[in-house]
Amino acid sequence: LVRNRRVYKAMTKFATFVITLTAPLLGKAFSPAFAPATRAPSTLGLHHRNPMPTFGARPAPRLVLASTNGEEEEEDTSVLRQLGFKGAKTEEALDTEAFLNWKIRLQLTKPGTWIPLIWGVACGAAASGNFHAVWNLFGDAPTTDSVGLVAEDTFKALAAMILAGPFLTGYTQTINDWYDRDLDAVNEPYRPIPSGAISEGEVIFQAWFLLLGGWALAFGLDQWAVHDWPVITLTSMFGTLVAYVYSAPPLKLKAIGWQGTYALGASYIALPWWCGHEMFNAGSITPQEIVLTVLYSLAGLGIAIVNDFKSIEGDEALGMQSIPVAFGVDKAKYICVATIDVTQLGVAAYLFSIGELQYAAILLALILPQMFFQLNFLEDPIKNDVAYQGKAQPFLVFGILTTALAVGHHTF
C-alpha cells in the first residue's frame, strides 16, 4: 500500500509537470486549426496519379492566418508552416535557398504530426513496466540504483521516438503529399510539391531514404533490445504498409470512409504504443493490452472524424467518402463523440474491473471535461471543431498515458 501511494504521488507530480509544459502544444497538435495540411496515418503509430501540376513562381515566406473571429491577421508564421501545421496561406514564395533544401524537406515531413507518435511511444514504454527513469533511482517501481541503466533506457526511448517520428511518420507524410499533389494544387498550392519548391526526384529520394532508414533503425533497435524476433522491424513494416495503402491507389483507404478513418486512428495510438513497449519488454505484451490499444484506436477514429468536418465540400467534390460525407453532418457528429466517449468509458470500466481503481478514477476524471466540451461542439461541429480539439484533446492524450501506466502497474 505504501509503495502504491508513493508511485501514485510520483506519477501525479510528474503528470502535473508534463501537463504544464505540453498541454498547449498537444492541443495544437491534435487541433484541426493546426492539423497536418493533409491527413495521413503515421507508419508507426504505428499512420489520382495525375501529371505534376504546373509550378509557378516562388514568392517570400509570409503567411496569413485566419483568426477564430473570422478576421485575417497577417503575421510571420514561418515556424508553424515549417512544422506542417494547417491554417496558413502563403502570399509569397517558399524558402528554397537553404542548404540541400532542408527547410522544404523538413516541411514535407510535417514535424507537427510527430508529436502524437512520440507520445504513443512514451505510453508504450510506460506500459512495459520496465522503463527506468530518474525517479526510479529514489525507490519508485521499477526501482534501480544504476544511473547507467536510466541513461540507457532514456536513449532507447529517444531512439524509438526518432523512429516513430522523423523517419516513419516523415515517410508517411511525404508519400501522402506526393499522392495528394493534384488535390493540393487546388486547395493548398503553397505546399512544397505543388508550389515547385521541391522537385519530383527529391521527393522520391526522400521517401525512399526515410523508409529504408526507418527500417534499418528499427532493426538496430531490435538488436539493442536483444530480441529473438525482430518485432520492432515487423511492426515498422506493417505500419509502412498501412501508410502506403492509406494514401496510394488502388486502395487509397483515405477515400473509403470507415476503413481509412480507423487506419488513421490506429496508426496514431496502437502502433507507436506497441513500438514503445517492444523496446523495453516485448515478451510482456499481453492479449489484453493489444485489445486495449486496438479499442482505444476507436477514440482515434473519433478524432479523425472531427478533422473531416472542415473538408466536407472538397471531399464531396472528389468523391471521398469521409464519415461526414457518407452520413451527413448531424449523424456524423454523434458518431464522432460516441466513438470517443464510449471507448474511453469502456477502458475506465475495464481498469475498474481488474482492480486498478486509482487509474480508473483518474481516467474518468479526464473523460468528464471532454464530454463537457462536446456540448459546444455538437451545436455546430464545423464552426466549433477547432475550439473543441484545442480544449479536449490534452485530456484524451493524458488518458491514454493513464491507461498505459495502469497496464504497466498491473500483473495480468
Side-chain angles (χ1 to χ4, degrees):
L1 182 60
V2 171
R3 173 176 293 182
N4 287 344
R5 286 179 178 172
R6 292 177 65 188
V7 171
Y8 174 70
K9 287 176 66 179
M11 184 197 76
T12 303
K13 290 179 181 178
F14 177 68
T16 303
F17 173 71
V18 173
I19 288 172
T20 303
L21 291 180
T22 64
L25 186 57
L26 285 166
K28 286 186 176 183
F30 284 87
S31 169
F34 296 93
T38 50
R39 300 184 301 276
S42 95
T43 53
L44 260 178
L46 348 232
H47 74 23
H48 328 19
R49 299 247 4 190
N50 293 342
M52 292 290 287
T54 302
F55 296 146
R58 310 172 181 172
R62 189 74 177 172
L63 306 179
V64 175
L65 284 186
S67 64
T68 55
N69 62 8
E71 299 176 355
E72 288 191 340
E73 298 176 351
E74 187 174 345
E75 60 177 280
D76 187 355
T77 56
S78 59
V79 174
L80 288 179
R81 187 185 60 190
Q82 196 70 55
L83 293 175
F85 287 135
K86 189 177 181 180
K89 296 182 179 180
T90 51
E91 293 180 324
E92 305 174 44
L94 300 173
D95 180 5
T96 59
E97 303 301 322
F99 179 67
L100 294 179
N101 208 13
W102 72 266
K103 289 186 178 180
I104 301 302
R105 291 180 180 277
L106 181 64
Q107 185 183 345
L108 194 60
T109 67
K110 301 188 184 76
T113 64
W114 303 349
I115 299 171
L117 283 299
I118 290 171
W119 187 264
V121 171
C123 290
S128 73
N130 197 41
F131 173 73
H132 300 87
V134 173
W135 51 87
N136 299 126
L137 293 169
F138 303 98
D140 291 335
T143 58
T144 182
D145 57 2
S146 172
V147 175
L149 179 59
V150 170
E152 181 182 12
D153 280 3
T154 300
F155 283 115
K156 282 183 176 179
L158 289 174
M161 291 173 180
I162 291 171
L163 170 66
F167 274 98
L168 296 186
T169 304
Y171 160 78
T172 297
Q173 298 295 356
T174 299
I175 66 166
N176 185 73
D177 267 25
W178 171 253
Y179 287 109
D180 277 357
R181 61 191 185 274
D182 54 333
L183 176 62
D184 289 343
V186 176
N187 293 335
E188 298 175 288
Y190 51 84
R191 292 294 305 155
I193 296 175
S195 71
I198 188 169
S199 69
E200 176 179 340
E202 287 176 315
V203 175
I204 294 173
F205 174 82
Q206 175 163 313
W208 279 107
F209 174 81
L210 293 173
L211 175 64
L212 298 178
W215 286 355
L217 176 56
F219 184 76
L221 292 180
D222 277 316
Q223 302 306 304
W224 194 358
V226 197
H227 290 153
D228 293 331
W229 288 88
V231 289
I232 298 177
T233 304
L234 294 174
T235 301
S236 300
M237 289 181 170
F238 175 72
T240 53
L241 174 63
V242 171
Y244 183 81
V245 299
Y246 177 87
S247 296
L251 293 180
K252 203 173 181 73
L253 294 180
K254 66 186 296 181
I256 297 176
W258 285 106
Q259 297 93 321
T261 308
Y262 183 77
L264 183 62
S267 67
Y268 272 87
I269 295 178
L271 291 175
W273 178 315
W274 297 349
C275 175
H277 193 136
E278 290 163 354
M279 188 69 237
F280 294 98
N281 197 358
S284 69
I285 297 181
T286 64
Q288 295 94 324
E289 182 178 348
I290 292 175
V291 170
L292 268 180
T293 56
V294 170
L295 290 178
Y296 229 126
S297 297
L298 290 173
L301 181 150
I303 300 306
I305 296 174
V306 175
N307 291 332
D308 286 336
F309 284 104
K310 288 289 189 187
S311 306
I312 292 176
E313 186 176 347
D315 289 346
E316 286 179 336
L318 292 168
M320 298 180 68
Q321 290 297 304
S322 65
I323 302 302
V325 171
F327 291 90
V329 172
D330 287 338
K331 289 183 179 179
K333 67 184 182 182
Y334 288 109
I335 293 173
C336 172
V337 298
T339 54
I340 294 172
D341 294 345
V342 171
T343 298
Q344 293 181 94
L345 290 171
V347 172
Y350 174 73
L351 295 181
F352 181 84
S353 71
I354 63 175
E356 297 295 342
L357 306 184
Q358 292 176 337
Y359 294 102
I362 294 172
L363 180 55
L364 182 61
L366 291 168
I367 296 170
L368 294 178
Q370 298 175 58
M371 299 178 73
F372 174 76
F373 294 131
Q374 286 167 359
L375 297 176
N376 181 254
F377 168 74
L378 289 171
E379 291 179 2
D380 188 342
I382 297 176
K383 177 182 177 182
N384 299 326
D385 60 347
V386 173
Y388 168 69
Q389 292 276 52
K391 294 174 182 177
Q393 295 323 302
F395 292 96
L396 183 141
V397 296
F398 280 102
I400 298 173
L401 177 60
T402 299
T403 303
L405 290 168
V407 171
H409 178 261
H410 189 75
T411 302
F412 288 99

